[in-house]
Amino acid sequence: MQFMLLFSRQGKLRLQKWYVPLSDKEKKKITRELVQTVLARKPKMCSFLEWRDLKVVYKRYASLYFCCAIENQDNELITLEIIHRYVELLDKYFGSVCELDIIFNFEKAYFILDEFLLGGEAQDTSKKNVLKAIEQADLLRSVPLHGVIQPVSYSAWCELASQHGVNQPVSYSAWCEPASQSVSMV
Amino acid sequence: MPAVSKGDGMRGLAVFISDIRNCKSKEAEIKRINKELANIRSKFKGDKALDGYSKKKYVCKLLFIFLLGHDIDFGHMEAVNLLSSNKYTEKQIGYLFISVLVNSNSELIRLINNAIKNDLSSRNPTFMCLALHCIANVGSREMAEAFAGEIPRILVAGDTMDSVKQSAALCLLRLYKASPDLVLMGEWTSRVVHLLNDQHMGVVTAAISLITCLSSKNPDEFKTCVSLAVSRLSRIVSSASTDLQDYTYYFVPAPWLSCKLLRLLQCYPPPEDGAVKGRLVECLETILNKAQEPPKSKKVQHSNAKNAILFEAISLIIHYDSEPNLLVRACNQLGQFLQHRETNLRYLALESMCTLASSEFSHEAVKTHIETVINALKTERDVSVRQRAADLLYAMCDRSNAKQIVAEMLSYLETADYSIREEMVLKVAILAEKYAVDYSWYVDTILNLIRIAGDYVSEEVWYRVIQIVINRDDVQGYAAKTVFEALQAPACHENMVKVGGYILGEFGNLIAGDPRSSPLVQFNLLHSKFHLCSVPTRALLLSAYIKFINLFPETKATIQEVLRSDSQIRNSDVELQQRAVEYLKLSSIASTDVLATVLEEMPPFPERESSILAKLKKKKGPGAVSVELEDGKERGELNGGGDRGGDAAIAASNASTPSPSADLLGLRSTAPVSGTTPSAGSLLVDVFSEAGPSATSAGVNDDGFLSSAPPTVASEDPAPPLPESDELLNKFVCKNNGVLFENQLLQIGIKSEYRQNLGRMYLFYGNKTSVQFVSFNTTVSCPGELQSHILQCICTHTHTLLNVQTKTVEPLVEGGAQVQQVINIECLTDFIDAPLLNIKFRYGGALQNISLKLPVTINKFFQPTEMAAADFFQRWKQLSQPQQEAQKIFKASHGMDTEVLKAKLLGLGTALLENVDPNPENYVCAGVIQTKAQQVGCLLRLEPNAQAQMYRLTLRSSKDTVSQRVCDLLAEQF
């Protein structure tokens, strides 16, 4: 895999992971081009497209597009399931993940991805093992020094979301529905 | 798992993120960000030392700002500080920042490497993984230099935790991809391969990616992985869906690992061991069988995972291309998918079938799906699927279905998406040419193409139709009639006018007998389009007019009138004006004889690779080329001059294909690239160059059509060797096989083998055109010491140094055919000059006469000699007379890569002696040259100086001429 991008239906980039060395300029150009191309596609179209000399595999989960660029000899279907497995991991970790989780905990999304994929290849495909690695890391977290720090809970996200009237959190099962219709709320 | 309450939330960060999200405008966002940046900067610069938590928070904010797309130029140092924190979360954020933001900034890299080194040696698996992730994410050369030695050790060490092994394997893979020269697997190879046997499926999953990459680069070293991979695969395939516990994904056992195993096997040919092969075939059959079983789940994940394995298995079957039964089964399976309701599967089935179509075993089976594919082309809603269908139609096309496929593609073109029209046009043009049984069908097809999709018909396409019409007199009359009819349409495409103008200008006389298409009618028809056309087309039409004057004297007055009109003779376009003036003058002063000579019918074009094919390859990139190469296999079927000569010829001619703008019409100024105003000189050339071969005296060497490229020497004497023949000779000093020579007509390939003082050389003469070469004759001559003993065929002259026997070749070489000639060589004594090879033949009446040096050099008769250091130095000292030594100091003209140097020295024929020279940078070789008269021992020392990019080469042998000659030959190789 050469890179993975997560972006919203509005074209906002939520996560980017590059497995090949590219300049920042090039990365921005690729992102712009690809986001446009993918957003322009209709729901029933196939999940693969030829793009430059790569193949792009993408899937939409609720308001988020997950998009991977793979090389020519790579397997498209298994890449689709890489995406799905990542979504499952996020969902399991955050508990019904939504776009806001990824915005506010972008660093976690990166950590989980690193545990799952390294250098563009799957490190481990067992959900249990990947989550175990993350949990072990979480156990290592020391008690914060400042009493003032309050963990922001899932319900707090929902609250934040309703305040701003954007991207309502969505249950995992809704993510897995065909992505066309607007998403139901939790 | 209410995960977000994990106790390390950074409130400041959350607030900042929601602030940003609240910003109503881009400006507000930038303002908020700048405020934050100023705040962070002051904190970092402030006197008060920041605690780890604050540092982490600010670094995280910077990261967030960067990910929003803003530049970050500070904070790196603070991130590096976090790496040495003993709090996991702080370390983790530090590594994340570095992974995302650091590229090889040398100052920092040293510090980062230091921190990584500490974590790697900490023996804390979590820290080790973090460090490995960071190396894998950055993957810079500096990191490879620092850790490429350490990581393989971690990977294979017995006490390494599984999770660390997994990270280490993929980390190594990333380093290998970025800096393959720094990752030396040598001693680790077999232990890495054996990771395929690891009990932990995760370790196998990670390791196999590494092994696949390494195998594809060094298949021999890793070939033991084949049997391991087969047995692993077989265990997975035969396991029940619950056996593999968490590695079962939606009832499919280990889909990722299965795919990777199948991918790994594609680096190798089918296993030779019968038992292994049997087991593998069994696996593949099981996978195909499972595809027929009812699904264990309705979830798309289940079918995706299952089919991912199936497609990978089919790729392997196609890769082997040796099991007809499996190929046909694969094809049938894909056939089912062609009508599946999942768009993704239809897409992949079309794609995969494209490669199946090129296998001789499954080509026929693929063809049975033609109706479905045509239907897909018509009804698929997604353009990328339709594109695949068009590709497949192209791939499955052969003589039996060409008419149907071309017709379908043409009718699809009328409604095709703009994005794929150009490619479709190219494909139709290629198929029409390749499978044309009668050329009237070809002409009809191309004219239809122009009619339907004129805008997408590139220059190459209409150039090509003209080339073919000119080269085939049986179709000229038909072509003239057809373009004449096509031009009747009130609105016809400019490309049609171009083709029409050109063809009527050449062959209008063939239809002039019919009063409905009398010369004047033809002229008026063409001229009615004139004013609607662009300058290049008008220029072409003017040339057609002057040709009309020659063909039909009765039109002269009318045409002169047109040329004389202000709109021509005073045209503001300099090219048009010049043509009008020159043509007018030519037509009024030249006698009919002169006119007839100057405006003679165009001579046949030399055959060459279809420029359309070249264009399609360029357009499609590597993927499509493979399809084209397949075409090469069906040489016998080809009509056009296109891809004759097989794969090698295609590969080679790819490089030498004349650029499409080397315009075939000789109308230089119409070539789109020559935008500059032609000088007076070239205009003169222009006029003549249209006029055919009679103009050769003008010294035109236009790439366009006077391009029987080799220097055409009319005399029957062997031509002097080509100027580049020495260079060609040098190419073969260190190798025995390859393409010796190539021009637009002829390709000469060489295979040779030597034993003792004997050699045998196979020469392959390939006719790249579709026209036969007649009076094909080759001679080999040995220049004697005094250049006086020129011998042919069986030369046994006493003065010869080489005894060369050739067998004569057939005097006729059919278009597209290849003839072989065997040459036996005996080395009588050492020699300097290479034998000369002269090739003479007639192509379209013109004598071609080419002389080359046959790549036989003295070093071909080397026998490698192994010896120990002591022996070497003893012999070296024995050869101490000044004339026994030859030495050269010269600049490196290629890279100084060790492996390449070694390969060249081995190619020279000597033995490469290790551990002889005290300086390991130097190379020492020994060999004996075998001649009939004597044996000449030869020692060699090559001292590279990488800094100065220089070499010193020293040769010592018992014979001074040998030392000198080998030294001269070898000095040209580096």
Side-chain angles (χ1 to χ4, degrees), chain A residues 20-139:
Chain A
V20 284
L22 290 168
S23 69
D24 285 344
K25 206 172 138 206
E26 184 71 4
K27 287 178 188 170
K28 279 187 186 162
K29 190 165 163 248
I30 290 175
T31 310
R32 212 176 320 119
E33 221 174 278
L34 213 53
V35 167
Q36 254 178 20
T37 314
V38 171
L39 287 179
R41 291 177 62 86
K42 296 192 184 75
K44 284 280 171 188
M45 287 187 164
C46 81
S47 314
F48 321 123
L49 46 118
E50 286 188 329
W51 181 80
R52 299 196 186 176
D53 51 350
L54 299 173
K55 294 191 287 199
V56 168
V57 176
Y58 72 93
K59 185 157 183 180
R60 185 175 149 186
Y61 288 88
S63 58
L64 269 190
Y65 284 87
F66 290 68
C67 175
C68 297
I70 56 175
E71 275 139 83
N72 249 310
Q73 72 274 13
D74 291 340
N75 189 315
E76 293 97 337
L77 285 175
I78 210 73
T79 309
L80 262 186
E81 295 319 299
I82 287 262
I83 293 176
H84 187 76
R85 171 90 333 157
Y86 181 47
V87 173
E88 286 183 348
L89 288 166
L90 290 172
D91 192 69
K92 196 91 183 173
Y93 183 79
F94 288 107
S96 288
V97 67
C98 69
E99 190 182 342
L100 277 179
D101 289 322
I102 294 171
I103 296 171
F104 282 91
N105 299 287
F106 65 95
E107 78 283 9
K108 299 274 170 31
Y110 277 95
F111 297 148
I112 296 171
L113 187 58
D114 269 356
E115 287 295 340
F116 177 43
L117 295 180
L118 193 57
E121 301 282 341
Q123 253 199 109
D124 203 323
T125 55
S126 149
K127 198 155 54 172
K128 266 190 212 142
N129 286 353
V130 176
L131 288 171
K132 205 166 70 194
I134 307 265
E135 275 165 40
Q136 261 172 0
D138 278 337
L139 284 179

